[in-house]
Amino acid sequence: MPSPNLNTHNFLYKVPFKFLSLHSFSSINNANFNHLPLDIQRFLSLLHEFSNTLLSVKSIHAQIITNSVSKHHFLSSNLVRSYSELGCLGLARKVFDKIPQPKPILCNSMLNGYLRNQCYKETIELFELMGASDWGFDSYSCNFVLKACMELEDYERGREVIKRAADHRVDGDKFLGSSMVNFFMKFGDFDSARLVFNQMISRDVVCWNSMIGGYVKGCYYVAAFDLFLEMILCGVRPSAITMVSLVQACGGTRNLELGKRVHGLVLVFGLGTDVLVHTALIDMYSKLGEHERAQSVFDIMPAKTLVSWNVIISGYVQNCLVYEAFDLFQKLILIGGGFDSGTIISLLQGCAQVADLESGKVLHGYIFRKGLDINVILCTALVDLYSKCGALKEATFVFDRMKNRNVITWTAMLVGLAQNGHAEDAIRLFGKMQEEGVTANSTTLVSLVHCCAHLGSLKKGRSVHARLLRHGYAFDVVNRTALIDMYAKCGNINYAERLFEDVSFLKDVISWNSMITGYGMHGQGHKALDLYHRMLDEGLKPNKTTFVSLLSACSHSGLVDQGRRLFLSMESDHNIRANEKHYACYVDLLSRAGHIEEAEVLINQMPFQSSREVFEALLNGCRMHKNIDIGIKAADYLLSLDATNPGIYIMLSNIYAEARRWDAVDHIRGLMRGRGLKKTPGCSLIEVGKQLHAFFAGEDSHPNSVEIDRILENLKSELEALGYVPDTSCVLRDVDEAMKIKSLWRHSERLAIAFGLLHTPAGSLIRISKNLRVCGDCHTVTKYISKVVKMEIIVRDANRFHHFVDGKCSCNDYW
């Protein structure tokens, strides 16, 4: 098997340039049919001149029958060809069946007719009939059937055809040889392809192109260039197709210097004006990030085809120059050039890239106004555009009206739902995808992994992990990293660690960051720091995300001094300048630890304008440590940025409530009512069996409400017997104590825990996901419950994980 890797290849220095001016081989002369009878020649001439309409062919056919020459094999084969070219295979077959013992020339016309009209099974069936009836066949027959096998992806049948060709000694033909090479290359059987190629007695440039092109498609670039050198040494002058394959190989290797040398060879061989070669060069330079060189090649093209325009437009989009691509599109329109679905697909991809919804809608309108072919790729590009722009209604509209949807279409819709916060809908869509028999690819499954992580659904996550294993996708670094993230976010940090520490796992910096983030979420800041130092020892260079993860881990574990050192070391040791996310994490670290004034000073010294995240972190610290003055300033700034964010009002209201300034609380809540803003209700999710159950604070509409209330009442009595005293300061409303206590016992996580106790076997683990931060009293109650019921309870709130075991929490009451 040839090596798929290619370093900088110096093959050009091995080319003996005396061969570069050799003439190509002479073409084969057309057959001379002057020996045929005059009436046969006359009908052949008529078929040649007037076979463009069915009426004409039928009229000529009638004359042939009238003149009693319909049994002539050569004339019949031309009739079959004429009918086939018009798509009238039934009439072609009637002509064929009139000949009792058809010769190969007639059989080949019928085989070719079936092949032209994509009737691949019929092509093979006729070939089998030829063998069974002992009609005989030649290299052309095998060539047609082999192509049908390729279209049907029937490797075994194709090998049988090749064996029969060898048994009948018709495999020496160079045209069949090229088809055999193409066949083996298509199925990745490079050794068999090379064996056939080496055994060919006569090899023209088409044969060499088949072999070189096959190597390039299989990503065996070294073998392709080596064979090209051998071709030159054999005195075969390369064609445009040869150079197109080599140019594509340069794009595949990401080797710009090699690409420049091949470009030079194109000029040496006098192919500098060929449209196909020019288009391949534009594509290569675009893929290598050399859009200016690509534009230069495009500019000197003597004749530009629509394909050339599409490739240069696509190249600009690939290089994130979306609006430059639109400028080219405008030029195409101005010169009166048409465009097709390929043009629009590239521009739609560009719009998705920069989230330009308006331009995307204009392009969508062009599709209908110009009557473009509404194919799967075009519709998928529309679904992807609308999804990435957050326009799920439009994405769903396009998706639901598609007659044909492939795995890429389903994945685009699924990813769109997942990225826009509709994880449950994405999982339901995956169920429909399975019902329609569409096999998921790696991207589909990884999107589902992210959905499970978002929902905290460990059971569904494990199910998707199993699918990744079955399909052989679980060992890819991207997929493994997604699984680490999912297990960490679903509360199973030990399994995430196990995946990370697998010796077969070739980790990149993103994998290390994911594990550091996981430790941080679970309050294991020291482990996160240890992993960071191990990462440095193994020679990996941290990036900006690494420090965001580390600072967040320090924040959740109260490691203030370590966080300070990390923040300072970013630029001094790693030449990474802190951005808004780093400052937000550092402010959060200081604010949580009670260093509110220091955090405020840091904000004032920031080298850029403070972001919303930075002041939200400060405001949260002010709430935790009851710093009203700085909290009011932070809230005022945040409201100046976005006066419609209910979270800011709620946090400021809570600061006033904890200070028992009920008049200010009423004022803030009055502002919210006046602006139509509502507080996000507390919601907790628990997975029982294969179903996720959602509980909202104060809810009593669940089918198991009576049992849940009974369990909570029993727990309340047991906890009070152990010394539990409700902390009603968590209830930030001006009501009496009894109402405050009742309100606390209707918090969503308590309802979810009670439901879990109702449906979970004794001694097992309960997992809860909550959309808001756990309040102090619920935190205390959950510690008591874990001790009373002797079960581990894992709660993921808006900030982190809490592992409650035997009356203790992993956060050490720091959250």
Side-chain angles (χ1 to χ4, degrees), residues 322-561:
V322 176
Y323 295 108
E324 287 81 352
F326 270 97
D327 290 341
L328 274 173
F329 179 59
Q330 291 295 333
K331 288 180 183 177
L332 176 61
I333 301 297
L334 287 172
I335 65 169
F339 56 87
D340 60 8
S341 58
T343 325
I344 300 298
I345 287 166
S346 294
L347 293 170
L348 286 171
Q349 290 168 345
C351 292
Q353 198 179 99
V354 297
D356 187 345
L357 181 59
E358 291 309 310
S359 296
K361 286 182 175 179
V362 171
L363 291 171
H364 195 169
Y366 276 166
I367 294 169
F368 292 103
R369 285 199 297 274
K370 297 294 181 181
L372 298 181
D373 177 33
I374 310 295
N375 55 46
V376 174
I377 301 172
L378 181 58
C379 289
T380 301
L382 282 168
V383 170
D384 184 57
L385 161 75
Y386 286 128
S387 297
K388 286 179 177 172
C389 292
L392 289 182
K393 184 178 178 182
E394 289 83 353
T396 305
F397 180 86
V398 175
F399 180 83
D400 288 343
R401 281 156 183 77
M402 289 178 67
K403 293 179 180 178
N404 298 307
R405 295 182 288 220
N406 59 20
V407 64
I408 301 171
T409 316
W410 284 92
T411 302
M413 191 68 240
L414 194 147
V415 169
L417 290 167
Q419 290 178 345
N420 285 280
H422 297 270
E424 289 186 79
D425 291 333
I427 290 173
R428 279 194 288 270
L429 185 69
F430 179 67
K432 290 181 182 178
M433 177 179 167
Q434 288 179 290
E435 289 172 8
E436 294 197 13
V438 181
T439 304
N441 62 18
S442 177
T443 307
T444 320
L445 295 175
V446 169
S447 299
L448 283 175
V449 170
H450 292 307
C451 290
C452 296
H454 176 77
L455 294 170
S457 177
L458 184 62
K459 290 181 181 177
K460 285 186 171 67
R462 282 174 173 159
S463 175
V464 179
H465 187 180
R467 285 179 182 275
L468 284 165
L469 286 167
R470 283 199 299 273
H471 289 87
Y473 299 142
F475 305 102
D476 175 81
V477 64
V478 175
N479 300 350
R480 179 70 69 94
T481 301
L483 287 168
I484 290 168
D485 177 68
M486 183 271 293
Y487 279 109
K489 286 179 178 174
C490 289
N492 197 338
I493 190 65
N494 293 331
Y495 199 83
E497 189 177 56
R498 179 178 159 187
L499 286 175
F500 180 81
E501 297 295 352
D502 186 342
V503 292
S504 66
F505 180 34
L506 299 175
K507 309 169 189 69
D508 60 9
V509 67
I510 302 172
S511 310
W512 288 85
N513 291 347
S514 186
M515 195 67 232
I516 289 169
T517 301
Y519 282 138
M521 283 191 298
H522 288 266
Q524 299 179 17
H526 289 289
K527 276 193 172 185
L529 291 172
D530 290 343
L531 193 64
Y532 166 65
H533 292 300
R534 205 178 107 196
M535 173 184 174
L536 295 179
D537 291 341
E538 294 193 17
L540 269 86
K541 187 177 179 181
N543 60 18
K544 291 182 178 182
T545 307
T546 313
F547 286 98
V548 170
S549 301
L550 286 166
L551 289 167
S552 179
C554 290
S555 178
H556 288 304
S557 298
L559 304 175
V560 179
D561 292 335

Side-chain angles (χ1 to χ4, degrees), residues 687-703:
E687 189 173 28
V688 173
K690 294 183 178 180
Q691 188 175 351
L692 275 172
H693 296 263
F695 291 88
F696 290 89
E699 181 183 35
D700 59 4
S701 59
H702 194 275

